[in-house]
Amino acid sequence: MADDDDTQPSIPKKCGPYISSVTSHSLNLMIRGIVLFLIGVFLALVLNLLQIQRNVTLFPPDVITSVFSSAWWVPLCCGTASAVIGLLYPCMDRHLGEPHKFKREWSSVMRCVAVFVGINHASAKVDFANNTQLSLTLAALSIGLWWTFDRSRSGFGLGIGIAFLATLVTQLLVYNGVYQYTSPDFLYVRSWLPCIFFAGGITMGNIGRQLAMYECKVIAEKSHQD
């Protein structure tokens, strides 16, 4: 009897669902992906508007016809990238066997989002003597965001990888005339752009981890009730 009392229901490795009545893991992933996509679209619309208003990015006049004066493909691409990043972070934690437990609450995630928006706002609104000073400042802020809200090796590595790939794609888009940056100092873009991508990757990763953790709590509570 003692052994039976001490036995606790284990939490499945594949945690889900987002809604307690949903049991399919694939459906759980789809719901999380949709939530992350919508968050990415919203952030892209707001933050891209800041860049356009300050003439940091310039689009051809014929493409600025959609909501918030943004090219239609920008929020879609950012939403898709956000979904992939948000699902990749908890998956990477699981495969590395390093569950992320640092500051795992929604209030911390919201503060992380606020800091990311502030970093992006600084890149568009704050005037520096030159792009080098701005880039170094944003690099320090981005690393500070990782240290404050993440501190995981996987998070830092994925953030660097995301910054590299996103900057490469942006360079190709600007090179092909899809849009352009004013005063480019890093080939065709601004030198601070990788810092924005790094901070964005950390932010969406934190949101994805929190959604996954929330689902774990839901399934654990359901197991205890059963």
Side-chain angles (χ1 to χ4, degrees):
M1 290 296 292
D3 292 339
D4 294 338
D5 294 338
D6 292 337
T7 303
Q8 298 294 331
S10 59
I11 302 175
K13 289 184 179 181
K14 294 184 177 180
C15 295
Y18 185 69
I19 302 172
S20 58
S21 61
V22 180
T23 57
S24 170
H25 182 62
S26 59
L27 192 57
N28 158 45
L29 286 176
M30 184 182 71
I31 294 174
R32 266 197 289 157
I34 291 173
V35 172
L36 290 163
F37 175 83
L38 293 176
I39 293 173
V41 167
F42 175 75
L43 288 176
L45 289 172
V46 173
L47 300 179
N48 195 46
L49 179 63
L50 282 174
Q51 303 287 343
I52 293 174
Q53 285 181 337
R54 293 286 290 182
N55 292 323
V56 176
T57 55
L58 301 175
F59 290 88
D62 56 330
V63 304
I64 305 299
T65 57
S66 56
V67 92
F68 281 9
S69 296
S70 177
W72 64 269
W73 52 268
V74 172
L76 293 181
C77 290
C78 292
T80 302
S82 298
V84 172
I85 293 168
L87 294 175
L88 183 61
Y89 265 73
C91 180
M92 185 66 70
D93 292 337
R94 197 159 53 240
H95 281 291
L96 292 177
E98 298 177 352
H100 189 260
K101 299 179 180 179
F102 181 69
K103 291 190 175 182
R104 293 291 67 180
E105 61 273 341
W106 278 111
S107 59
S108 176
V109 174
M110 292 301 101
R111 287 195 297 270
C112 182
V113 173
V115 173
F116 169 60
V117 173
I119 292 174
N120 201 293
H121 188 269
S123 70
K125 293 278 189 178
V126 179
D127 294 323
F128 283 79
N130 52 60
N131 277 339
T132 301
Q133 290 184 5
L134 176 58
S135 299
L136 291 174
T137 301
L138 294 183
L141 290 173
S142 299
I143 294 175
L145 180 142
W146 167 78
W147 181 256
T148 304
F149 300 105
D150 191 312
R151 296 192 187 182
S152 68
R153 291 177 298 175
S154 60
F156 188 83
L158 283 173
I160 293 293
I162 290 165
F164 174 79
L165 290 176
T167 303
L168 179 61
V169 171
T170 305
Q171 295 275 17
L172 293 174
L173 290 174
V174 177
Y175 175 76
N176 286 282
V178 177
Y179 71 105
Q180 61 181 318
Y181 282 86
T182 56
S183 305
D185 62 322
F186 180 45
L187 296 180
Y188 303 102
V189 302
R190 295 284 189 92
S191 56
W192 46 258
L193 192 61
C195 305
I196 300 296
F197 288 139
F198 176 85
I202 298 297
T203 301
M204 294 311 304
N206 274 347
I207 295 174
R209 281 167 165 167
Q210 191 63 28
L211 286 174
M213 188 173 186
Y214 176 73
E215 293 161 10
C216 289
K217 289 181 179 179
V218 170
I219 199 65
E221 290 174 359
K222 186 178 180 180
S223 298
H224 283 296
Q225 290 174 357
D226 294 341

